[in-house]
Amino acid sequence: MNSMGTAVSQRGSANSKTAWDVQTVRAAFPILKQKVHNKPLVYLDNAATTQKPAAVLDAILGFYKHDCSNVHRGVHQLSERATDAYEGARDTVRHFLNAKDIREVIFVRGATEAINLVAQTFGRRMLGAGDEIVITALEHHSDIVPWQILCEEKGARLSVVPIDDRGELRMDEFEKHLNPRVKLVCAAHVSNALGTVNPVREIVRLSHAEGIPVLLDGAQAAPHFRVDVQELDCDFYAFSGHKIYGPTGIGVLYGKSALLEAMPPYQGGGDMIRSVTFEKTLYNSLPYKFEAGTPHIAGAIGLGAALDYVTGLGQERTESYERGLLAYATEALSAIPDLRMIGTAREKAGVLSFVLNGIHPHDVGTVLDYEGIAVRTGHHCAQPVMDRFGVPATTRASLGLYNSREEIDALVAGIHKVKETFS
Ligand code: C6P
């Protein structure tokens, strides 16, 4: 099913065969046409959430207007259509991740729920007193706190691989953290606070050599480049729909089927059962065992449309465009006096975090907002990363596929305005 591929070309958006034209791409996103404080909106908060193309909005509205019904339950026409669309979206995700089997794709609320699901099922079953879970110093709170909760319950230990001054993972240290007590390794594919791309293939290879499974948090990776879970050979992969031009409240947990089969259910309720008596309940097969209750049907359909949109544009082309934009922005921002970039890894995606001497990031964000520029300021739910760099917060500009060089120029002009205001 590739209905959105059609929608993309009908709307005159760029497709994978034409040259990249950012204005044509932007035209697919209705929200970008607005003004904020009487200035054209410059949306540079894509790591927090991305805007949605018309194809996604149309898919969601189309479901509610024409097919709204529950899934897997009714014999009637609307329910059959809703089920087909929902399961079609699952197949789109399978393609997107190149998962071997559709049973390996579980719909969840987002990356946070995906990680909690693994912690509360796989983790709870595997972890004992004295065991360890390895994470990196780059993790978002969503890939720290679920493991802390679990470790506390089990009397286990969180073991953290450090980063260097560029914000790159210390791979020399990584191997030293692997030992027979480690039951799981968890790593961000891309850091949300710094943009560092972790060497995830190497992380998986080294961990598997010690027989340790790996969970990758792909919340900030899936929007920027092609992810192939078979090639990565990771055991679990998590991402959120809203960061990849899809709706909020929907995300994906990929897991290798052998691991998922062996895991107990996450939540109990409708759809995750095969049969129920008061004496014993038999659970449903994959992936339904992990999808208790009425799922976010419209969300899954919207996510399918978003992935069709992204693949329709051509992921290699998007990656190459964004790489050029990041290089342009890095050079422009680095030339600003008194601006310190936080996170200068050699492999980065989508993120520019910085501090301005003597000016609090919240003040930077407020002045930029008056210029129509949306950035995020704060600790970005990655407080240990802020601690590592000795700053309480940063200003973060994060890029999406619709951002232009003119918008980077506007950001640079905005930062000069901030400096003037506070000089
Ligand atoms: N980061 C940011 O502004 P949810 O909230 O479940 O969709 O995603 C959580 C999450 C997990 N991992 C990483 C690497 C993330 O970046 C995020 C979300 C947003 O950076 C909101 S805090």
Side-chain angles (χ1 to χ4, degrees):
M1 75 150 229
N2 195 355
S3 56
M4 289 314 124
T6 320
V8 165
S9 47
Q10 273 169 357
R11 278 165 200 286
S13 296
N15 64 48
S16 55
K17 293 197 179 63
T18 58
W20 188 272
D21 173 3
V22 72
Q23 293 309 329
T24 309
V25 172
R26 292 176 68 80
F29 291 80
I31 202 170
L32 296 179
K33 295 180 179 75
Q34 71 183 283
K35 289 194 168 175
V36 168
H37 299 301
N38 228 11
K39 306 267 169 57
L41 168 65
V42 174
Y43 187 78
L44 292 170
D45 195 16
N46 294 287
T49 201
T50 51
Q51 301 304 344
K52 322 305 172 197
V56 169
L57 306 177
D58 290 350
I60 296 167
L61 193 62
F63 166 72
Y64 283 123
K65 268 177 134 171
H66 305 295
D67 305 326
C68 181
S69 184
N70 213 323
V71 290
H72 307 142
R73 287 158 171 84
V75 290
H76 58 81
Q77 181 54 226
L78 292 193
S79 179
E80 279 182 16
R81 273 195 242 143
T83 303
D84 285 351
Y86 180 71
E87 292 305 328
R90 196 191 306 278
D91 197 41
T92 302
V93 175
R94 188 197 67 72
H95 264 280
F96 180 78
L97 292 176
N98 192 30
K100 208 182 283 175
D101 191 333
I102 198 162
R103 298 177 314 135
E104 298 176 319
V105 175
I106 296 158
F107 283 124
V108 289
R109 280 192 296 136
T112 302
E113 187 172 48
I115 296 167
N116 276 278
L117 189 160
V118 177
Q120 291 303 317
T121 57
F122 176 85
R124 246 180 166 184
R125 185 155 281 187
M126 294 292 292
L127 211 66
D131 285 341
E132 294 176 16
I133 289 179
V134 169
I135 62 169
T136 85
L138 283 167
E139 299 313 300
H140 182 278
H141 296 167
S142 291
D143 204 24
I144 301 174
V145 185
W147 307 118
Q148 282 176 327
I149 294 170
L150 183 66
C151 285
E152 202 164 306
E153 182 188 318
K154 296 287 185 176
R157 200 176 80 83
L158 204 57
S159 168
V160 185
V161 184
I163 52 175
D164 66 16
D165 291 341
R166 287 172 172 269
E168 290 181 357
L169 195 63
R170 292 271 309 272
M171 286 308 283
D172 55 325
E173 285 286 328
F174 180 77
E175 268 189 274
K176 295 183 201 155
H177 283 67
L178 303 181
N179 66 63
R181 312 204 92 151
V182 177
K183 294 292 182 288
L184 185 68
V185 168
C186 306
H189 197 165
V190 172
S191 152
N192 71 313
L194 306 180
T196 308
V197 181
N198 267 331
V200 287
R201 273 184 202 81
E202 188 64 356
I203 288 172
V204 172
R205 191 184 67 76
L206 292 169
S207 305
H208 283 183
E210 302 299 321
I212 306 164
V214 178
L215 177 146
L216 297 179
D217 172 358
Q220 299 293 348
H224 297 296
F225 43 76
R226 213 166 66 79
V227 173
D228 182 331
V229 290
Q230 291 192 67
E231 194 191 331
L232 291 172
D233 198 26
C234 56
D235 300 276
F236 300 105
Y237 198 92
F239 73 95
S240 298
H242 69 101
K243 294 189 198 288
I244 186 160
Y245 312 101
T248 54
I250 189 77
V252 170
L253 172 67
Y254 157 83
K256 283 185 179 165
S257 58
L259 288 171
L260 294 175
E261 293 281 11
M263 283 155 53
Y266 175 46
Q267 295 176 329
D271 229 21
M272 53 74 72
I273 55 90
R274 193 180 298 285
S275 70
V276 178
T277 65
F278 288 121
E279 289 70 39
K280 184 163 178 61
T281 289
L282 296 177
Y283 304 130
N284 208 340
S285 53
L286 292 176
Y288 312 110
K289 181 171 88 174
F290 294 105
E291 293 182 5
T294 299
H296 187 4
I297 306 164
I301 292 167
L303 174 59
L307 299 184
D308 281 339
Y309 175 80
V310 167
T311 50
L313 284 179
Q315 284 174 283
E316 278 75 17
R317 273 173 10 113
T318 307
E319 183 185 346
S320 142
Y321 174 73
E322 287 189 5
R323 193 180 282 275
L325 193 63
L326 182 64
Y328 180 80
T330 303
E331 200 182 323
L333 263 61
S334 304
I336 298 174
D338 303 324
L339 183 148
R340 176 184 163 211
M341 292 291 290
I342 306 288
T344 51
R346 284 159 292 187
E347 276 298 314
K348 279 182 67 171
V351 168
L352 300 123
S353 249
F354 60 90
V355 289
L356 282 177
N357 260 354
I359 308 174
H360 195 280
H362 291 324
D363 293 330
V364 178
T366 305
V367 175
L368 289 178
D369 176 51
Y370 273 95
E371 296 302 305
I373 303 166
V375 293
R376 184 172 170 185
T377 62
H379 55 57
H380 315 296
C381 301
Q383 275 184 303
V385 175
M386 300 296 117
D387 293 345
R388 169 63 179 76
F389 285 92
V391 293
T394 71
T395 302
R396 183 187 69 181
S398 53
L399 309 178
L401 50 77
Y402 37 63
N403 289 127
S404 66
R405 290 189 177 208
E406 290 72 29
E407 289 182 305
I408 301 301
D409 297 342
L411 173 66
V412 170
I415 294 171
H416 282 297
K417 186 128 196 187
V418 172
K419 291 182 65 181
E420 275 162 41
T421 309
F422 289 95
S423 64

